[in-house]
Amino acid sequence: QVQLVESGGGLVPAGGSLRLSCAASGGPFSRYAMAWFRQAPGKEREFVASVSMSGGSTNYADSVKGRFTISRDNAQNTVYPQMNSLKPEDTAIYYCAARSRRTSPYSYDYNYWGPGTQVTVSS
């Protein structure tokens, strides 16, 4: 069973950048597809980006395409979203998730979740 812990959240001005990290432990990291989701106050959790087990395939929500880049380092058991050109509407709690199958944009497909990290973008 894999455990996930996010880090790197914080307060950033609009137009700024932030790099989150998700460290995994307790399982064969390279056997898990990884994804990031986010949840803003009063809204449902939504898909942000995903990366395949090898890192060779990525997918993004339309709202972040061209601004966010997801990558993983299987040697370090870590997955990163690099978030550029941040907007106030990107403000949310960001969650890292893992599943032992191919990537999916649906939160219910993921078995393992981190506790989340807050990202706040000021206007």
Side-chain angles (χ1 to χ4, degrees):
Q1 184 169 339
V2 64
Q3 291 83 45
L4 305 173
V5 178
E6 305 91 341
S7 62
L11 175 65
V12 61
S17 298
L18 207 57
R19 190 193 197 200
L20 305 181
S21 297
C22 173
S25 61
F29 183 68
S30 62
R31 294 187 181 181
Y32 291 92
M34 302 297 296
W36 286 87
F37 290 80
R38 66 187 182 186
Q39 188 165 17
K43 295 187 177 181
E44 293 188 354
R45 191 169 297 189
E46 65 174 2
F47 171 75
V48 175
S50 64
V51 59
S52 62
M53 296 177 189
S54 68
S57 177
T58 57
N59 288 286
Y60 298 91
D62 288 344
S63 59
V64 307
K65 202 170 293 183
R67 299 188 297 122
F68 290 14
T69 301
I70 188 171
S71 61
R72 65 188 295 162
D73 184 338
N74 284 346
Q76 297 295 324
N77 291 353
T78 306
V79 60
Y80 309 96
Q82 174 67 44
M83 307 186 296
N84 299 327
S85 302
L86 284 162
K87 305 175 181 180
E89 50 263 44
D90 293 319
T91 295
I93 299 175
Y94 282 72
Y95 298 92
C96 176
R99 71 187 300 243
S100 57
R101 296 185 177 186
R102 64 182 180 182
T103 59
S104 165
Y106 305 110
S107 59
Y108 53 73
D109 281 335
Y110 289 82
N111 309 100
Y112 306 103
W113 292 84
T117 185
Q118 176 71 48
V119 172
T120 303
V121 184
S122 61
S123 56

